[in-house]
Amino acid sequence: MRSSRYFLPVLKEDPSEAQVVSHKLMLRAGMIRQLSAGNYNWLPLGLRVLRNIQQIIREEMDRTGALELIMPTMQPIELWQESGRGGYGAETLKAVDRHERTLIYGPTHEEVITDIFRKNVKSYRELPLNMYQIQWKFRDEIRPRFGVMRGREFLMKDSYSFHTDKASAEETYINMYRAYLRIFSRMGLKAIPVQADTGPIGGDLSHEFQVLAETGESALYYDKAFEALIAADQPDVEAMRKLYSAADEKHDAANCPVKPENLKQGRGIEVGHIFYLGTKYSAAMGAKVLGADGKEVVPEMGCYGIGVSRLAGTIIEASHDKSGIIWPEAVAPFKVGVVNLRQGDEACDRASEEMYKKLETAGVTVLYDDRKESAGAKFATMDLIGLPWQAAFGPRGVTAGTVELKNRKTGEKHEISAEAAMNKIMGK
Ligand code: 5CA
């Protein structure tokens, strides 16, 4: 992609409406723009990140055997009356259609999936079944804030599983727990699972996945031993499951099994939440299957959510410096920025163009800054948008047959041949 053809409205100054660093940087890097309170446009650069996040989630969900589907955003309110929820409290956004029927813009999809299930699944042989979607949700939050962290319209991955018995539901719950840790770890995040309150979703048991951050909206308590476990590349799920951790609402100082000196208190950003639901929705909505013994069984359920759009902000909270974002490669909008330091100079143009084309041919995503701007402005933009690599061609280097390759994360710079630079970028 050529910067001269791209839509990248970067801002030099911190926007006054943003309080947290991720919100500031998402605005400054031209990733998002606010449309109305808690409602954001995802501009091209932001959308590339959102897609990469979705891709990791899809790969890991598919790997567990979950099946992707998509359900409408608009849901008939009658389903919510059947389940007994009636709506989603004050957060519900309603619309009335031309037939005077009330629709809810889905804040979550337990009712819709249970409706699909009861109409289409007949036998225990079809279970367990776990289906997920990545879909926009609307919750009329009282206090939308911190940009995409707490939005009103936001992107969620939500999955729902059905089982003939509790043991099977527990097995999937643990598989999801495991998959979630892998998902967050692939994005460079260290998440702590904590016992949580099930809130308006309901059910008997739930865990939130919390990324430690000062600006996090949740208060949590956890065993100090988590620190070593989350520092590891591969999370040790069995070890984690043995440790105590709880969200504020669940923490009970009087009955806490962890000695005070080993108990840590912190703040976190909730990036995921998994629930064991029991038969709350299946029983209320009349979902049942024929069991092995020919008798009807009301299926046990679980549901598992990830805040997809919130993750984009969370990754920035966890990975930035004073110059801007530092994208982990797995979610970076482009892997490399090729910077032509003297646009219009024949030798610089030729060397930059050549590298740009070679990298694209090799399947590497590149943002090629071919604009007539100062070197300083170009470097500042590259640092701000945080691509993992920067390859800069200036007149001196081009004469000497070199490019300056910079690693955004380590800040290391090397004057090397274009060939050597490409090999480094491609990890050869
Ligand atoms: N039905 C279940 C999961 S399938 C559910 O809705 N769970 S939830 O309410 O906990 O939401 C799942 C995840 O969505 C949360 O963990 C959080 O990461 C994200 N989320 C919730 N509300 C918002 C919001 N207002 N803005 C951005 N992300 C949100």
Side-chain angles (χ1 to χ4, degrees):
M1 178 57 61
R2 289 171 190 274
S3 293
S4 61
R5 297 261 165 280
Y6 207 50
F7 181 59
L8 189 65
V10 297
L11 307 173
K12 284 214 182 74
E13 308 294 333
D14 275 344
S16 59
E17 75 260 35
Q19 294 153 302
V20 295
V21 70
S22 59
H23 189 195
K24 284 179 193 162
L25 288 173
M26 289 181 87
L27 290 167
R28 285 192 54 206
M31 291 177 65
I32 56 165
R33 284 294 181 267
Q34 182 175 301
L35 178 63
S36 58
N39 220 356
Y40 287 85
N41 299 298
W42 287 78
L43 306 187
L45 193 81
L47 181 61
R48 291 182 73 96
V49 173
L50 201 58
R51 288 240 166 95
N52 292 341
I53 293 172
Q54 291 180 52
Q55 181 59 24
I56 291 174
I57 296 174
R58 281 206 171 90
E59 284 172 17
E60 295 298 337
M61 289 304 296
D62 292 350
R63 197 164 26 165
T64 67
L67 305 171
E68 186 170 4
L69 84 174
I70 195 149
M71 296 176 269
T73 53
M74 302 303 294
Q75 309 178 6
I77 194 158
E78 289 77 10
L79 282 183
W80 289 71
Q81 288 155 351
E82 268 194 77
S83 72
R85 277 205 280 197
Y88 204 75
E91 273 88 64
T92 320
L93 179 70
K94 291 182 187 159
V96 179
D97 73 9
R98 65 168 78 203
H99 305 294
E100 298 290 315
R101 289 191 192 111
T102 302
L103 299 163
I104 295 182
Y105 192 121
T108 174
H109 281 71
E110 283 79 7
E111 281 80 359
V112 180
I113 197 91
T114 306
D115 184 57
I116 295 176
F117 184 93
R118 68 180 171 183
K119 289 176 175 157
N120 297 284
V121 181
K122 304 282 175 242
S123 160
Y124 73 96
R125 287 195 196 86
E126 298 167 70
L127 304 188
L129 181 63
N130 189 7
M131 297 203 276
Y132 75 97
Q133 65 172 348
I134 297 178
Q135 175 64 301
W136 294 92
K137 302 284 190 269
F138 194 99
R139 293 182 184 174
D140 200 355
E141 299 277 353
I142 186 163
R143 218 169 285 112
R145 59 178 189 161
F146 301 164
V148 299
M149 292 293 203
R150 180 165 295 280
R152 291 199 299 161
E153 190 170 334
F154 62 96
L155 194 59
M156 191 195 288
K157 186 288 293 180
D158 43 327
S159 19
Y160 305 88
S161 69
F162 296 86
H163 312 266
T164 43
D165 55 36
K166 190 172 175 185
S168 164
E170 276 169 0
E171 195 180 321
T172 297
Y173 188 92
I174 295 163
N175 284 341
M176 288 296 109
Y177 185 112
R178 220 183 283 283
Y180 274 32
L181 289 171
R182 260 202 311 266
I183 287 168
F184 302 132
S185 150
R186 281 183 63 181
M187 295 171 190
L189 294 175
K190 306 192 175 308
I192 299 185
V194 302
Q195 276 188 50
D197 202 21
T198 57
I201 305 292
D204 306 328
L205 168 71
S206 87
H207 280 90
E208 289 170 353
F209 289 75
Q210 297 277 356
V211 172
L212 294 178
E214 306 254 308
T215 54
E217 291 189 287
S218 329
L220 30 129
Y221 296 83
Y222 55 95
D223 191 315
K224 204 168 85 182
F226 265 108
E227 287 174 351
L229 289 174
I230 60 172
D233 281 344
Q234 291 294 323
D236 182 342
V237 177
E238 300 320 317
M240 276 191 190
R241 293 192 61 226
K242 292 194 189 104
L243 295 178
Y244 177 83
S245 59
D248 202 15
E249 326 80 69
K250 274 275 167 187
H251 178 65
D252 174 0
N255 295 310
C256 178
V258 185
K259 288 196 200 112
E261 63 270 27
N262 290 334
L263 187 70
K264 295 283 261 184
Q265 190 184 349
R267 299 199 71 79
I269 303 170
E270 180 202 323
V271 288
H273 198 164
I274 60 176
F275 302 77
Y276 165 62
L277 297 170
T279 58
K280 173 178 173 181
Y281 296 93
S282 43
M285 293 179 67
K288 44 190 177 294
V289 291
L290 271 189
D293 55 3
K295 291 197 185 115
E296 281 180 343
V297 189
V298 178
E300 295 271 331
M301 289 175 64
C303 76
Y304 321 92
I306 293 183
V308 180
S309 44
R310 177 178 286 183
L311 273 169
T314 309
I315 294 166
I316 297 174
E317 289 291 329
S319 185
H320 67 270
D321 63 14
K322 63 181 188 331
S323 311
I325 304 168
I326 303 173
W327 289 116
E329 283 205 9
V331 295
F334 297 92
K335 189 165 182 183
V336 198
V338 170
V339 186
N340 186 343
L341 295 172
R342 179 100 36 103
Q343 190 67 34
D345 173 276
E346 208 193 316
C348 285
D349 290 358
R350 199 179 329 111
S352 310
E353 290 277 339
E354 189 180 326
M355 183 164 199
Y356 169 52
K357 287 185 182 138
K358 276 193 179 158
L359 284 169
E360 285 225 313
T361 308
V364 178
T365 52
V366 189
L367 183 66
Y368 168 32
D369 195 344
D370 60 343
R371 298 167 309 151
K372 274 205 155 45
E373 291 279 342
S374 72
K378 288 188 175 191
F379 281 131
T381 298
M382 282 298 169
D383 280 350
L384 174 62
I385 68 172
L387 311 183
W389 298 95
Q390 297 171 17
F393 290 94
R396 220 167 15 89
V398 167
T399 312
T402 60
V403 58
E404 185 186 82
L405 184 70
K406 175 172 144 178
N407 182 294
R408 176 68 180 88
K409 188 173 173 188
T410 62
E412 262 179 79
K413 289 180 185 172
H414 293 284
E415 287 277 346
I416 50 180
S417 71
E419 172 110 13
M422 283 190 280
N423 284 339
K424 252 185 182 302
I425 291 165
M426 292 191 272
K428 286 189 197 156

